[in-house]
């Protein structure tokens, strides 16, 4: 579970860093999964609640539950979506009876699970036969520009440590087809795999940079661990690699998504 502890930092900083992409990604994942009105759905690793919020919009709050092991993130989700049940629990041990949901989804969570196979099996257990399991992860090695450019810049500034922390290296389930393999290992049928591409806008480079020194997410934790000179060098290299000038800009991010049916 590389970096799972970095999500105990600020939910507000998370929203400014990765959370900027989450609402768009959530809508795309819900469409891809085929979540429809009337279903009861679980958001596993709900964080501050971007996917849960999109599920509530489609299904209503009484039909949505969230599970999240980080207490501050679970609390942020409850504050944002007061009508839904949010339990503090990891995917590997979900406190719900068998067949409780028609759909179990997780967004950007699989790589942070201690045991992703056990997490996927638990998601299967709490979903009824015929229900859907769907998930997505960033394409850390390829077209997730925010994260890819960060680690490329980090490798310029502190090559050895950055090479060991680069999410393209440490994340087990981030290459083309990996999630489909995991879904088949968990016993799912009719497995589908596809890219989801989303965009985020920034006022300027500082808007992108400001949550990183707080230490949220693996990139933030790396940034926070640097001494002042290296942090400044990282800031400058990152900005150069992104080609960010003084004004607003947009970045594209690709995630890999998987969906499958519970037998
Ligand atoms: C990148 S964030 C994604 C949050 C949210 N799903 C979103 O899309 O914005 C990863 C989340 O996974 C949670 N997490 C870490 N380990 C987990 C586990 N074993 N089971 C479930 N969630 C976990 C983290 O606390 C964090 O909220």
């Amino acid at each position: 579970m590389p970096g799972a502890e970095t999500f105990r930092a600020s939910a507000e900083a998370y929203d400014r860093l990765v959370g900027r992409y989450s609402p768009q990604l959530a809508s795309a994942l819900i469409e891809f999964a085929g979540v429809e009105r009337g279903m009861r759905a679980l958001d596993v690793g709900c964080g501050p609640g971007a996917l849960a919020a999109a599920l509530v919009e489609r299904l209503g709050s009484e039909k949505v539950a969230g599970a999240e092991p980080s207490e501050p993130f679970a609390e942020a989700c409850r504050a944002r979506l007061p009508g839904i049940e949010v339990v503090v629990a990891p995917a590997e041990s979900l406190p719900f009876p068998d067949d409780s949901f028609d759909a179990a989804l997780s967004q950007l969570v699989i790589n942070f699970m201690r045991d992703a196979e056990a997490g996927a099996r638990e998601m299967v257990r709490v979903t009824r036969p015929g229900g859907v399991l769907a998930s997505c992860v960033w394409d850390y090695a390829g077209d997730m520009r925010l994260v890819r450019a960060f680690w490329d810049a980090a490798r310029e500034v502190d090559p050895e440590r950055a090479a060991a922390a680069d999410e393209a290296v440490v994340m087990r389930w981030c290459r083309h087809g990996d999630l489909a393999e995991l879904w088949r290992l968990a016993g799912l049928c009719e497995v589908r795999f596809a890219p989801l591409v989303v965009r985020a806008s920034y006022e300027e480079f500082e808007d992108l940079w400001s949550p990183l020194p707080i230490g949220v997410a693996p990139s933030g934790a790396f940034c926070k661990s640097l001494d002042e000179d290296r942090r400044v060098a990282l800031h400058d290299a990152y900005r150069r690699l992104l080609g960010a000038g003084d004004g607003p800009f947009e970045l594209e991010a690709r995630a890999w998504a998987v969906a499958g049916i519970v037998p």
Side-chain angles (χ1 to χ4, degrees):
M1 43 150 193
E5 72 292 347
T6 63
F7 297 107
R8 300 194 191 281
S10 151
E12 187 270 333
Y14 176 80
D15 274 338
R16 279 191 288 131
L17 186 66
V18 189
R20 210 181 277 259
Y21 298 81
S22 299
Q24 239 187 73
L25 190 60
S27 302
L29 182 63
I30 287 172
E31 280 306 317
F32 178 69
V35 174
E36 287 167 3
R37 209 158 258 297
M39 285 182 164
R40 181 164 157 69
L42 174 66
D43 177 2
V44 175
C46 61
L51 175 60
L55 287 167
V56 164
E57 209 168 289
R58 180 159 298 204
L59 307 175
S61 36
E62 69 290 352
K63 297 278 196 184
V64 179
E68 165 58 49
S70 155
E71 179 68 57
F73 275 20
E75 198 41 56
C77 186
R78 282 188 203 111
R80 183 170 174 187
L81 301 166
I84 78 166
E85 180 188 8
V86 181
V87 297
V88 176
E92 295 88 338
S93 169
L94 296 170
F96 297 102
D98 296 1
D99 306 344
S100 298
F101 300 95
D102 303 298
L105 277 69
S106 76
Q107 175 165 294
L108 310 176
V109 174
I110 295 284
N111 283 300
F112 297 103
M113 293 180 189
R114 218 172 309 120
D115 182 344
E117 285 184 50
R121 281 197 304 272
E122 263 296 87
M123 289 171 71
V124 168
R125 181 187 65 75
V126 301
T127 307
R128 67 163 172 83
V132 66
L133 230 71
S135 194
C136 63
V137 295
W138 289 130
D139 176 14
Y140 293 110
D143 289 339
M144 194 322 173
R145 293 231 28 238
L146 174 79
V147 177
R148 189 62 262 135
F150 176 89
W151 291 112
D152 290 344
R155 280 169 180 260
E156 286 185 14
V157 169
D158 191 346
E160 212 170 301
R161 286 186 59 234
D166 185 337
E167 287 162 272
V169 176
V170 298
M171 297 308 191
R172 162 67 184 88
W173 308 97
C174 69
R175 306 275 167 171
H176 185 273
D178 281 353
L179 282 187
E181 180 194 337
L182 180 62
W183 256 217
R184 290 194 186 97
L185 284 171
L188 289 145
C189 315
E190 299 173 42
V191 174
R192 293 179 288 123
F193 181 83
L196 303 178
V197 177
V198 293
R199 302 180 74 79
S201 348
Y202 299 88
E203 296 292 321
E204 49 166 354
F205 181 72
E206 297 312 317
D207 185 23
L208 179 154
W209 174 261
S210 62
L212 285 163
I214 295 168
V216 71
S219 51
F222 183 87
C223 177
K224 191 177 175 184
S225 75
L226 295 175
D227 60 38
E228 185 56 26
D229 287 350
R230 283 196 165 141
R231 199 171 312 133
V232 170
L234 174 64
H235 171 282
D236 295 349
Y238 194 16
R239 182 175 177 159
R240 174 173 44 77
L241 290 182
L242 286 172
D246 290 331
F249 62 97
E250 278 198 349
L251 295 180
E252 199 167 86
R254 178 165 72 183
W256 299 120
V258 71
I261 301 296
V262 176

